[in-house]
Amino acid sequence: MTRLRLAADVGGTNTRLGLARDGVLLADTVQSFRNEAFSGFTAVLDQYLQKAASGGVAEVAIAIAGPVTGATARLTNRDWHFDAAALSRHLDGAPVHLLNDLAALGQACPHLGAECLDTVIAPADDAGGDGQRLVAGIGTGFNLSPVLHAGGRVQCLNVEYGHVSLPLDVAEHLRSRIGDAAAEFRTVEHLFSGRGYAAVRAQFADDDAGTQAFQGFYAELLSLLARNLVLAFLPAQGIYFAGAVARSLLASPARQVFAEAFRQPFALDTGIEAPVYVILDDAAALKGCAAVTVNR
């Protein structure tokens, strides 16, 4: 009998749970829970398993919206802590693997079909298979997950790119439009996050014309950042944007502004290019948890 895996995607507001076999998420097992109704993750876990898998599971993979340090983790926006060893004991010895939510999306990327993605910049040819990808999460905060898919195995690197200083070309373009107010945006996350999005929006008129002008300008900023990321990480298999800010902006008319700016040739005459996608699948992190290799 194939081993049954529990996949979990734990955010600050909601927790999604599902079961997987042979690396594939079983879609009809996915359920979502409001975190505020529970004292902690184990309470959510127990309620789900009582009905979905009363016989237990063989292994567990949990994506967490917060820092993961080895076998421990914590949520950024809720006082929930995770200890893989304690969770394993709670589950009768089932091995537990903790990973950051962006790393889970990175694990999912090679397995996401066209129906799960919005293609902003199409690949020049078939960009599937092995190679380098990059997940960029722009929501409450900002971070990246560099992804290497080689020999049938997906590996994701840990980075803290949101705290990197804002690239010079992005900072100069921002200052050209909002002047001295640009000084408050010191890091990538200061600008590319929910609070950064709102702060830049406040520099434009509060009407439809102001909204359109702001979205176009912010799309230019995002394209500059994305071009820096292409050079830094060479994600020939694609940049995958995730998060509410990225999804909203690239679904607006500003999408065309982003695309035109992103397609401009690089100074390096090397033919560097990368397709760009937006992850639309709310179960993508669960699919990554289903696919990731768990140490038993």
Side-chain angles (χ1 to χ4, degrees):
M1 185 176 179
T2 56
R3 298 167 65 90
L4 195 63
R5 172 182 293 184
L6 173 74
D9 176 17
V10 188
T13 302
N14 299 301
T15 292
R16 290 188 179 88
L17 297 164
L19 301 175
R21 277 198 181 95
D22 299 326
V24 178
L25 180 68
L26 306 175
D28 60 352
T29 69
V30 175
Q31 295 183 38
S32 182
F33 301 86
R34 295 281 294 180
N35 292 347
E36 63 187 12
F38 298 89
S39 58
F41 174 70
T42 54
V44 185
L45 181 68
D46 290 345
Q47 179 168 315
Y48 175 80
L49 289 177
Q50 185 177 6
K51 294 183 178 180
S54 57
V57 293
E59 55 195 19
V60 181
I62 307 171
I64 298 160
V68 177
T69 306
T72 62
R74 63 176 176 83
L75 278 179
T76 298
N77 294 312
R78 184 172 293 270
D79 189 26
W80 284 13
H81 296 261
F82 301 78
D83 183 297
L87 285 167
S88 178
R89 290 191 296 270
H90 184 76
L91 294 168
D92 298 323
V96 175
H97 180 68
L98 307 179
L99 64 163
N100 176 264
D101 57 343
L102 276 191
L105 291 178
Q107 291 287 337
C109 280
H111 309 288
L112 296 177
E115 73 281 0
C116 302
L117 302 170
D118 177 16
T119 301
V120 180
I121 305 288
D125 49 29
D126 182 8
D130 287 2
Q132 295 176 193
R133 294 173 170 83
L134 184 68
V135 178
I138 313 177
T140 303
F142 182 98
N143 205 3
L144 301 176
S145 180
V147 181
L148 174 62
H149 186 199
R153 184 180 176 89
V154 179
Q155 294 180 302
C156 301
L157 301 181
N158 295 320
V159 300
E160 283 292 349
Y161 200 85
H163 302 294
V164 170
S165 296
L166 201 62
L168 181 61
D169 55 350
V170 179
E172 289 179 341
H173 193 57
L174 183 64
R175 180 174 291 278
S176 73
R177 184 62 185 256
I178 68 173
D180 291 343
E184 67 181 272
F185 302 95
R186 299 185 304 278
T187 69
V188 171
E189 185 169 296
H190 283 147
L191 180 57
F192 297 103
S193 61
R195 62 175 177 167
Y197 187 89
V200 177
R201 176 66 185 88
Q203 300 293 322
F204 290 76
D206 188 17
D207 54 26
D208 289 345
T211 297
Q212 184 174 355
F214 157 70
Q215 289 178 333
F217 177 65
Y218 202 83
E220 291 172 352
L221 295 171
L222 182 59
S223 71
L224 289 172
L225 176 69
R227 286 167 57 82
N228 278 285
L229 296 178
V230 168
L231 293 175
F233 296 96
L234 298 178
Q237 306 303 308
I239 296 178
Y240 292 71
F241 282 110
V245 171
R247 189 184 294 192
S248 174
L249 183 71
L250 294 176
S252 76
R255 170 197 188 97
Q256 187 62 32
V257 176
F258 171 90
E260 290 178 358
F262 183 82
R263 287 193 181 104
Q264 295 302 308
F266 288 100
L268 293 173
D269 186 20
T270 58
I272 295 173
E273 57 184 25
V276 177
Y277 308 98
V278 179
I279 298 175
L280 301 178
D281 188 355
D282 290 334
L286 287 181
K287 291 178 178 178
C289 288
V292 67
T293 300
V294 173
N295 296 324
R296 300 187 177 97

